[in-house]
Amino acid sequence: MKHIAESTVRRLSLYLRFLEEGEARAQDTISSGELARLGGTTSAQVRKDLSFFGSFGKRGLGYHVKDLIEAIREILGLDKTWPVVIVGAGKIGAALAQYRGFSSRGFRVVGVYDRDPARIGQRLDGLTIRAESELERDIAKLKAQIAVLCVPSEAAQVLLDRVTKAGIRAVLNFAPSPLRVPKGVALRSVNMATELEILTFALTNRIEGGPR
Amino acid sequence: MKHIAESTVRRLSLYLRFLEEGEARAQDTISSGELARLGGTTSAQVRKDLSFFGSFGKRGLGYHVKDLIEAIREILGLDKTWPVVIVGAGKIGAALAQYRGFSSRGFRVVGVYDRDPARIGQRLDGLTIRAESELERDIAKLKAQIAVLCVPSEAAQVLLDRVTKAGIRAVLNFAPSPLRVPKGVALRSVNMATELEILTFALTNRIEGGPR
DNA sequence: CCTTGTGAATCGTTTCACAGCC
DNA sequence: GGCTGTGAAACGATTCACAAGG
């Protein structure tokens, strides 16, 4: 398959949200123009994004909402439930472990891990915080392929190496340090300070910060 | 000034981090090649990024670490302290209110707000959670220009409208719904589910793409 | 008419390559 | 010799515009 830009995938995720809202309102079909208006893009962009993966629409009519939802779910790999482990049960890790937005979209947090004995054994929304030493065994047992890293910078690379050796193939990192991943492992990093800095750049340069 | 790409600003934020690490190790100068290696990009990219804003290097030598730190801080608007208000003191809002990565980089959380009477008055790391009704008065009094939105989707647009009317000019949004901002207000949204979906897309579509 | 799907054109970003300076 | 700064070339993403189908 051709290479797909990250921006395309991000927009597909957005379209999916609008489609689900449409489905909830019993909307039957939707045009590329309407999706574009909702998503702040152009109809040509919507059609191009979808056309990478197939022909889902009907000329003169638009896209059938339910069919397109199913198609995009399959494209994004959301047609199954993904077990996710959260590494680090500090403030951010604990918040994410209880975040409803994950479970409502095909992700299931199956484990939360920390090295601090004071935290191990505490309960978070139906999950018990476990010792970091259990990570390897649990990842194998639970067949988890996705990890969310919420540990301090100093620990991030070591833990990333450990979880990828144990079978994790995708990592969402919240530590504010750049990480190296083995080939074949997907990595995304969210750096809160960088996000704020993009805003202060916009403020000091009086530029508009576009939607992401 | 010419339009600067978001990717450029993001890289500047990254370079700044490496430069600060270099400064801590008493490193005097750094080349574009070294910055590139650290940041996973190319030396030409580093030089191009910097050249949008001026000539900071010396040919044959590289960049003086301290000077470049100062220059990038000024470019990003980090040469002053920005008061930030956090709207919504749920799990994510509370975690961010206590996040050390903000305060260590020129951001000062000056207020945390919630509408839930059970939360109002609770203390978070030296701050007292205040009533959402105080937002307008406090934003004016504290001259805050940046808000971090950590409220449920349904409330996000209403609160965004309120804070922008009160003087906020940049918003970092964690609610998973698209928002509209008035002209002249910068907005960035971080959607945790979308980040995970980009990862599941990568996992699902790893057809070709090299040996493992 | 309406709207999709898509080659072609445009626009923006990254990489190349080298002149200029330390 | 080493490294920056920068036009030019290459690459990639978005927008245009239109043929084709409901």
Side-chain angles (χ1 to χ4, degrees), chain A residues 14 18 38 211, chain B residues 149 151-161 171-182 187-189:
Chain A
L14 194 61
F18 298 134
L38 292 167
Chain B
L149 264 196
V151 300
S153 278
E154 318 81 68
Q157 185 67 61
V158 171
L159 281 161
L160 186 144
D161 294 344
V171 176
L172 182 56
N173 168 50
F174 286 88
S177 56
L179 299 177
R180 297 212 167 272
V181 274
L187 169 69
R188 294 193 57 72
S189 290

PDB file of all heavy atoms in Angstrom, chain A residues 14 18 38 211, chain B residues 149 151-161 171-182 187-189:
ATOM      1  N   LEU A  14     -11.016  12.132  12.859  1.00  0.00           N
ATOM      2  CA  LEU A  14     -11.965  13.226  13.059  1.00  0.00           C
ATOM      3  C   LEU A  14     -13.275  12.952  12.329  1.00  0.00           C
ATOM      4  O   LEU A  14     -14.366  13.091  12.902  1.00  0.00           O
ATOM      5  CB  LEU A  14     -11.315  14.508  12.532  1.00  0.00           C
ATOM      6  CG  LEU A  14     -11.927  15.855  12.890  1.00  0.00           C
ATOM      7  CD1 LEU A  14     -11.923  16.060  14.395  1.00  0.00           C
ATOM      8  CD2 LEU A  14     -11.149  16.975  12.200  1.00  0.00           C
ATOM      9  N   PHE A  18     -17.441  12.628  13.588  1.00  0.00           N
ATOM     10  CA  PHE A  18     -18.619  13.312  13.035  1.00  0.00           C
ATOM     11  C   PHE A  18     -19.622  12.300  12.520  1.00  0.00           C
ATOM     12  O   PHE A  18     -20.834  12.479  12.666  1.00  0.00           O
ATOM     13  CB  PHE A  18     -18.202  14.249  11.900  1.00  0.00           C
ATOM     14  CG  PHE A  18     -17.268  15.327  12.348  1.00  0.00           C
ATOM     15  CD1 PHE A  18     -16.138  15.620  11.613  1.00  0.00           C
ATOM     16  CD2 PHE A  18     -17.503  16.041  13.520  1.00  0.00           C
ATOM     17  CE1 PHE A  18     -15.265  16.610  12.026  1.00  0.00           C
ATOM     18  CE2 PHE A  18     -16.631  17.033  13.940  1.00  0.00           C
ATOM     19  CZ  PHE A  18     -15.506  17.316  13.186  1.00  0.00           C
ATOM     20  N   LEU A  38     -17.678  20.329   8.847  1.00  0.00           N
ATOM     21  CA  LEU A  38     -17.541  19.942  10.256  1.00  0.00           C
ATOM     22  C   LEU A  38     -16.077  19.880  10.667  1.00  0.00           C
ATOM     23  O   LEU A  38     -15.722  20.273  11.776  1.00  0.00           O
ATOM     24  CB  LEU A  38     -18.190  18.573  10.476  1.00  0.00           C
ATOM     25  CG  LEU A  38     -19.715  18.527  10.337  1.00  0.00           C
ATOM     26  CD1 LEU A  38     -20.200  17.089  10.250  1.00  0.00           C
ATOM     27  CD2 LEU A  38     -20.375  19.247  11.504  1.00  0.00           C
ATOM     28  N   PRO A 211      -6.115  24.747  13.878  1.00  0.00           N
ATOM     29  CA  PRO A 211      -6.590  23.556  14.581  1.00  0.00           C
ATOM     30  C   PRO A 211      -5.691  22.400  14.249  1.00  0.00           C
ATOM     31  O   PRO A 211      -5.032  22.396  13.232  1.00  0.00           O
ATOM     32  CB  PRO A 211      -7.983  23.325  14.001  1.00  0.00           C
ATOM     33  CG  PRO A 211      -7.942  23.993  12.657  1.00  0.00           C
ATOM     34  CD  PRO A 211      -6.945  25.094  12.739  1.00  0.00           C
TER      35      PRO A 211
ATOM     36  N   LEU B 149      -7.915  23.851  28.702  1.00  0.00           N
ATOM     37  CA  LEU B 149      -9.295  23.376  28.870  1.00  0.00           C
ATOM     38  C   LEU B 149      -9.301  21.882  29.129  1.00  0.00           C
ATOM     39  O   LEU B 149      -8.914  21.099  28.260  1.00  0.00           O
ATOM     40  CB  LEU B 149     -10.094  23.621  27.595  1.00  0.00           C
ATOM     41  CG  LEU B 149     -10.967  24.864  27.409  1.00  0.00           C
ATOM     42  CD1 LEU B 149     -11.919  24.627  26.247  1.00  0.00           C
ATOM     43  CD2 LEU B 149     -11.718  25.221  28.667  1.00  0.00           C
ATOM     44  N   VAL B 151     -12.233  20.143  30.412  1.00  0.00           N
ATOM     45  CA  VAL B 151     -13.631  19.919  30.800  1.00  0.00           C
ATOM     46  C   VAL B 151     -14.261  18.936  29.831  1.00  0.00           C
ATOM     47  O   VAL B 151     -13.710  18.674  28.764  1.00  0.00           O
ATOM     48  CB  VAL B 151     -14.414  21.250  30.795  1.00  0.00           C
ATOM     49  CG1 VAL B 151     -13.786  22.237  31.774  1.00  0.00           C
ATOM     50  CG2 VAL B 151     -14.478  21.852  29.408  1.00  0.00           C
ATOM     51  N   PRO B 152     -15.421  18.367  30.174  1.00  0.00           N
ATOM     52  CA  PRO B 152     -16.074  17.444  29.253  1.00  0.00           C
ATOM     53  C   PRO B 152     -16.463  18.145  27.952  1.00  0.00           C
ATOM     54  O   PRO B 152     -16.683  19.363  27.935  1.00  0.00           O
ATOM     55  CB  PRO B 152     -17.336  17.007  30.011  1.00  0.00           C
ATOM     56  CG  PRO B 152     -17.050  17.319  31.439  1.00  0.00           C
ATOM     57  CD  PRO B 152     -16.138  18.482  31.450  1.00  0.00           C
ATOM     58  N   SER B 153     -16.556  17.372  26.885  1.00  0.00           N
ATOM     59  CA  SER B 153     -16.883  17.899  25.563  1.00  0.00           C
ATOM     60  C   SER B 153     -18.061  18.865  25.568  1.00  0.00           C
ATOM     61  O   SER B 153     -18.009  19.917  24.938  1.00  0.00           O
ATOM     62  CB  SER B 153     -17.217  16.743  24.613  1.00  0.00           C
ATOM     63  OG  SER B 153     -16.045  16.182  24.105  1.00  0.00           O
ATOM     64  N   GLU B 154     -19.116  18.482  26.269  1.00  0.00           N
ATOM     65  CA  GLU B 154     -20.344  19.285  26.215  1.00  0.00           C
ATOM     66  C   GLU B 154     -20.099  20.694  26.715  1.00  0.00           C
ATOM     67  O   GLU B 154     -20.748  21.646  26.288  1.00  0.00           O
ATOM     68  CB  GLU B 154     -21.461  18.670  27.065  1.00  0.00           C
ATOM     69  CG  GLU B 154     -21.616  17.177  26.973  1.00  0.00           C
ATOM     70  CD  GLU B 154     -20.617  16.450  27.858  1.00  0.00           C
ATOM     71  OE1 GLU B 154     -20.734  16.538  29.102  1.00  0.00           O
ATOM     72  OE2 GLU B 154     -19.715  15.782  27.291  1.00  0.00           O
ATOM     73  N   ALA B 155     -19.161  20.842  27.660  1.00  0.00           N
ATOM     74  CA  ALA B 155     -18.941  22.148  28.277  1.00  0.00           C
ATOM     75  C   ALA B 155     -17.848  22.946  27.575  1.00  0.00           C
ATOM     76  O   ALA B 155     -17.710  24.153  27.813  1.00  0.00           O
ATOM     77  CB  ALA B 155     -18.582  21.958  29.748  1.00  0.00           C
ATOM     78  N   ALA B 156     -17.097  22.280  26.703  1.00  0.00           N
ATOM     79  CA  ALA B 156     -15.871  22.905  26.197  1.00  0.00           C
ATOM     80  C   ALA B 156     -16.122  24.194  25.416  1.00  0.00           C
ATOM     81  O   ALA B 156     -15.468  25.215  25.666  1.00  0.00           O
ATOM     82  CB  ALA B 156     -15.095  21.900  25.339  1.00  0.00           C
ATOM     83  N   GLN B 157     -17.081  24.159  24.479  1.00  0.00           N
ATOM     84  CA  GLN B 157     -17.276  25.358  23.649  1.00  0.00           C
ATOM     85  C   GLN B 157     -17.758  26.544  24.485  1.00  0.00           C
ATOM     86  O   GLN B 157     -17.297  27.676  24.299  1.00  0.00           O
ATOM     87  CB  GLN B 157     -18.269  25.061  22.521  1.00  0.00           C
ATOM     88  CG  GLN B 157     -18.443  26.206  21.544  1.00  0.00           C
ATOM     89  CD  GLN B 157     -17.180  26.486  20.725  1.00  0.00           C
ATOM     90  OE1 GLN B 157     -16.708  25.633  19.993  1.00  0.00           O
ATOM     91  NE2 GLN B 157     -16.622  27.684  20.858  1.00  0.00           N
ATOM     92  N   VAL B 158     -18.665  26.285  25.397  1.00  0.00           N
ATOM     93  CA  VAL B 158     -19.193  27.369  26.235  1.00  0.00           C
ATOM     94  C   VAL B 158     -18.067  28.004  27.047  1.00  0.00           C
ATOM     95  O   VAL B 158     -17.938  29.236  27.103  1.00  0.00           O
ATOM     96  CB  VAL B 158     -20.295  26.837  27.185  1.00  0.00           C
ATOM     97  CG1 VAL B 158     -20.682  27.904  28.202  1.00  0.00           C
ATOM     98  CG2 VAL B 158     -21.512  26.393  26.390  1.00  0.00           C
ATOM     99  N   LEU B 159     -17.225  27.164  27.637  1.00  0.00           N
ATOM    100  CA  LEU B 159     -16.143  27.714  28.451  1.00  0.00           C
ATOM    101  C   LEU B 159     -15.097  28.399  27.594  1.00  0.00           C
ATOM    102  O   LEU B 159     -14.542  29.433  27.985  1.00  0.00           O
ATOM    103  CB  LEU B 159     -15.519  26.610  29.305  1.00  0.00           C
ATOM    104  CG  LEU B 159     -16.391  26.332  30.526  1.00  0.00           C
ATOM    105  CD1 LEU B 159     -16.083  24.977  31.131  1.00  0.00           C
ATOM    106  CD2 LEU B 159     -16.202  27.440  31.564  1.00  0.00           C
ATOM    107  N   LEU B 160     -14.843  27.860  26.407  1.00  0.00           N
ATOM    108  CA  LEU B 160     -13.898  28.532  25.519  1.00  0.00           C
ATOM    109  C   LEU B 160     -14.415  29.926  25.176  1.00  0.00           C
ATOM    110  O   LEU B 160     -13.667  30.907  25.204  1.00  0.00           O
ATOM    111  CB  LEU B 160     -13.679  27.702  24.258  1.00  0.00           C
ATOM    112  CG  LEU B 160     -12.597  28.251  23.319  1.00  0.00           C
ATOM    113  CD1 LEU B 160     -11.835  27.118  22.682  1.00  0.00           C
ATOM    114  CD2 LEU B 160     -13.168  29.138  22.249  1.00  0.00           C
ATOM    115  N   ASP B 161     -15.693  30.031  24.876  1.00  0.00           N
ATOM    116  CA  ASP B 161     -16.263  31.344  24.561  1.00  0.00           C
ATOM    117  C   ASP B 161     -16.123  32.295  25.745  1.00  0.00           C
ATOM    118  O   ASP B 161     -15.767  33.459  25.579  1.00  0.00           O
ATOM    119  CB  ASP B 161     -17.739  31.205  24.165  1.00  0.00           C
ATOM    120  CG  ASP B 161     -17.928  30.443  22.855  1.00  0.00           C
ATOM    121  OD1 ASP B 161     -16.932  30.305  22.111  1.00  0.00           O
ATOM    122  OD2 ASP B 161     -19.044  29.989  22.587  1.00  0.00           O
ATOM    123  N   VAL B 171      -5.478  28.846  23.692  1.00  0.00           N
ATOM    124  CA  VAL B 171      -6.163  27.778  24.418  1.00  0.00           C
ATOM    125  C   VAL B 171      -5.564  26.434  24.034  1.00  0.00           C
ATOM    126  O   VAL B 171      -5.395  26.135  22.856  1.00  0.00           O
ATOM    127  CB  VAL B 171      -7.675  27.771  24.102  1.00  0.00           C
ATOM    128  CG1 VAL B 171      -8.367  26.599  24.782  1.00  0.00           C
ATOM    129  CG2 VAL B 171      -8.320  29.091  24.511  1.00  0.00           C
ATOM    130  N   LEU B 172      -5.226  25.649  25.055  1.00  0.00           N
ATOM    131  CA  LEU B 172      -4.819  24.265  24.840  1.00  0.00           C
ATOM    132  C   LEU B 172      -5.967  23.391  25.314  1.00  0.00           C
ATOM    133  O   LEU B 172      -6.319  23.391  26.492  1.00  0.00           O
ATOM    134  CB  LEU B 172      -3.543  23.966  25.637  1.00  0.00           C
ATOM    135  CG  LEU B 172      -2.947  22.569  25.502  1.00  0.00           C
ATOM    136  CD1 LEU B 172      -2.665  22.223  24.046  1.00  0.00           C
ATOM    137  CD2 LEU B 172      -1.674  22.453  26.318  1.00  0.00           C
ATOM    138  N   ASN B 173      -6.557  22.667  24.374  1.00  0.00           N
ATOM    139  CA  ASN B 173      -7.796  21.946  24.645  1.00  0.00           C
ATOM    140  C   ASN B 173      -7.583  20.434  24.730  1.00  0.00           C
ATOM    141  O   ASN B 173      -6.991  19.840  23.837  1.00  0.00           O
ATOM    142  CB  ASN B 173      -8.812  22.238  23.529  1.00  0.00           C
ATOM    143  CG  ASN B 173     -10.004  21.309  23.576  1.00  0.00           C
ATOM    144  OD1 ASN B 173     -10.618  21.130  24.618  1.00  0.00           O
ATOM    145  ND2 ASN B 173     -10.336  20.719  22.445  1.00  0.00           N
ATOM    146  N   PHE B 174      -8.084  19.819  25.791  1.00  0.00           N
ATOM    147  CA  PHE B 174      -8.003  18.372  25.941  1.00  0.00           C
ATOM    148  C   PHE B 174      -9.338  17.684  25.761  1.00  0.00           C
ATOM    149  O   PHE B 174      -9.421  16.471  25.878  1.00  0.00           O
ATOM    150  CB  PHE B 174      -7.395  18.010  27.299  1.00  0.00           C
ATOM    151  CG  PHE B 174      -5.924  18.263  27.365  1.00  0.00           C
ATOM    152  CD1 PHE B 174      -5.437  19.509  27.741  1.00  0.00           C
ATOM    153  CD2 PHE B 174      -5.017  17.281  27.015  1.00  0.00           C
ATOM    154  CE1 PHE B 174      -4.065  19.758  27.785  1.00  0.00           C
ATOM    155  CE2 PHE B 174      -3.652  17.525  27.054  1.00  0.00           C
ATOM    156  CZ  PHE B 174      -3.176  18.755  27.436  1.00  0.00           C
ATOM    157  N   ALA B 175     -10.382  18.460  25.507  1.00  0.00           N
ATOM    158  CA  ALA B 175     -11.686  17.847  25.253  1.00  0.00           C
ATOM    159  C   ALA B 175     -11.693  17.281  23.839  1.00  0.00           C
ATOM    160  O   ALA B 175     -11.174  17.900  22.922  1.00  0.00           O
ATOM    161  CB  ALA B 175     -12.797  18.872  25.419  1.00  0.00           C
ATOM    162  N   PRO B 176     -12.264  16.094  23.662  1.00  0.00           N
ATOM    163  CA  PRO B 176     -12.180  15.436  22.358  1.00  0.00           C
ATOM    164  C   PRO B 176     -13.246  15.913  21.383  1.00  0.00           C
ATOM    165  O   PRO B 176     -13.856  15.113  20.711  1.00  0.00           O
ATOM    166  CB  PRO B 176     -12.388  13.967  22.714  1.00  0.00           C
ATOM    167  CG  PRO B 176     -13.272  14.000  23.906  1.00  0.00           C
ATOM    168  CD  PRO B 176     -12.940  15.280  24.660  1.00  0.00           C
ATOM    169  N   SER B 177     -13.467  17.219  21.322  1.00  0.00           N
ATOM    170  CA  SER B 177     -14.443  17.722  20.357  1.00  0.00           C
ATOM    171  C   SER B 177     -13.859  18.963  19.696  1.00  0.00           C
ATOM    172  O   SER B 177     -13.112  19.709  20.314  1.00  0.00           O
ATOM    173  CB  SER B 177     -15.751  18.064  21.074  1.00  0.00           C
ATOM    174  OG  SER B 177     -15.497  18.977  22.121  1.00  0.00           O
ATOM    175  N   PRO B 178     -14.173  19.152  18.428  1.00  0.00           N
ATOM    176  CA  PRO B 178     -13.616  20.289  17.705  1.00  0.00           C
ATOM    177  C   PRO B 178     -14.255  21.573  18.198  1.00  0.00           C
ATOM    178  O   PRO B 178     -15.454  21.616  18.452  1.00  0.00           O
ATOM    179  CB  PRO B 178     -13.988  20.004  16.256  1.00  0.00           C
ATOM    180  CG  PRO B 178     -15.052  18.970  16.291  1.00  0.00           C
ATOM    181  CD  PRO B 178     -15.126  18.377  17.637  1.00  0.00           C
ATOM    182  N   LEU B 179     -13.453  22.606  18.315  1.00  0.00           N
ATOM    183  CA  LEU B 179     -13.944  23.864  18.869  1.00  0.00           C
ATOM    184  C   LEU B 179     -13.729  24.992  17.872  1.00  0.00           C
ATOM    185  O   LEU B 179     -12.832  24.943  17.044  1.00  0.00           O
ATOM    186  CB  LEU B 179     -13.186  24.186  20.165  1.00  0.00           C
ATOM    187  CG  LEU B 179     -13.333  23.167  21.301  1.00  0.00           C
ATOM    188  CD1 LEU B 179     -12.469  23.568  22.474  1.00  0.00           C
ATOM    189  CD2 LEU B 179     -14.780  23.034  21.712  1.00  0.00           C
ATOM    190  N   ARG B 180     -14.567  25.983  17.988  1.00  0.00           N
ATOM    191  CA  ARG B 180     -14.389  27.184  17.166  1.00  0.00           C
ATOM    192  C   ARG B 180     -13.832  28.300  18.043  1.00  0.00           C
ATOM    193  O   ARG B 180     -14.310  28.517  19.148  1.00  0.00           O
ATOM    194  CB  ARG B 180     -15.719  27.643  16.574  1.00  0.00           C
ATOM    195  CG  ARG B 180     -16.352  26.652  15.635  1.00  0.00           C
ATOM    196  CD  ARG B 180     -17.162  27.335  14.516  1.00  0.00           C
ATOM    197  NE  ARG B 180     -17.499  26.364  13.477  1.00  0.00           N
ATOM    198  CZ  ARG B 180     -16.708  26.083  12.433  1.00  0.00           C
ATOM    199  NH1 ARG B 180     -15.548  26.699  12.286  1.00  0.00           N
ATOM    200  NH2 ARG B 180     -17.066  25.201  11.535  1.00  0.00           N
ATOM    201  N   VAL B 181     -12.833  29.002  17.535  1.00  0.00           N
ATOM    202  CA  VAL B 181     -12.287  30.149  18.270  1.00  0.00           C
ATOM    203  C   VAL B 181     -12.527  31.435  17.498  1.00  0.00           C
ATOM    204  O   VAL B 181     -12.548  31.415  16.264  1.00  0.00           O
ATOM    205  CB  VAL B 181     -10.768  30.032  18.486  1.00  0.00           C
ATOM    206  CG1 VAL B 181     -10.450  29.233  19.715  1.00  0.00           C
ATOM    207  CG2 VAL B 181     -10.076  29.472  17.272  1.00  0.00           C
ATOM    208  N   PRO B 182     -12.671  32.529  18.203  1.00  0.00           N
ATOM    209  CA  PRO B 182     -12.746  33.834  17.525  1.00  0.00           C
ATOM    210  C   PRO B 182     -11.429  34.104  16.819  1.00  0.00           C
ATOM    211  O   PRO B 182     -10.384  33.537  17.179  1.00  0.00           O
ATOM    212  CB  PRO B 182     -12.940  34.834  18.674  1.00  0.00           C
ATOM    213  CG  PRO B 182     -13.263  34.031  19.879  1.00  0.00           C
ATOM    214  CD  PRO B 182     -12.744  32.651  19.666  1.00  0.00           C
ATOM    215  N   LEU B 187      -5.548  28.196  19.031  1.00  0.00           N
ATOM    216  CA  LEU B 187      -6.111  26.996  19.657  1.00  0.00           C
ATOM    217  C   LEU B 187      -5.299  25.783  19.251  1.00  0.00           C
ATOM    218  O   LEU B 187      -4.971  25.607  18.085  1.00  0.00           O
ATOM    219  CB  LEU B 187      -7.566  26.802  19.197  1.00  0.00           C
ATOM    220  CG  LEU B 187      -8.222  25.465  19.551  1.00  0.00           C
ATOM    221  CD1 LEU B 187      -8.453  25.346  21.048  1.00  0.00           C
ATOM    222  CD2 LEU B 187      -9.545  25.291  18.802  1.00  0.00           C
ATOM    223  N   ARG B 188      -4.997  24.948  20.215  1.00  0.00           N
ATOM    224  CA  ARG B 188      -4.433  23.639  19.919  1.00  0.00           C
ATOM    225  C   ARG B 188      -5.217  22.598  20.701  1.00  0.00           C
ATOM    226  O   ARG B 188      -5.567  22.831  21.850  1.00  0.00           O
ATOM    227  CB  ARG B 188      -2.964  23.549  20.322  1.00  0.00           C
ATOM    228  CG  ARG B 188      -2.079  24.467  19.500  1.00  0.00           C
ATOM    229  CD  ARG B 188      -0.630  24.154  19.688  1.00  0.00           C
ATOM    230  NE  ARG B 188      -0.361  22.768  19.359  1.00  0.00           N
ATOM    231  CZ  ARG B 188      -0.367  22.273  18.126  1.00  0.00           C
ATOM    232  NH1 ARG B 188      -0.624  23.049  17.108  1.00  0.00           N
ATOM    233  NH2 ARG B 188      -0.111  21.024  17.915  1.00  0.00           N
ATOM    234  N   SER B 189      -5.469  21.483  20.052  1.00  0.00           N
ATOM    235  CA  SER B 189      -6.210  20.427  20.720  1.00  0.00           C
ATOM    236  C   SER B 189      -5.376  19.165  20.782  1.00  0.00           C
ATOM    237  O   SER B 189      -4.728  18.796  19.803  1.00  0.00           O
ATOM    238  CB  SER B 189      -7.525  20.143  19.986  1.00  0.00           C
ATOM    239  OG  SER B 189      -8.411  21.219  20.159  1.00  0.00           O
TER     240      SER B 189
END
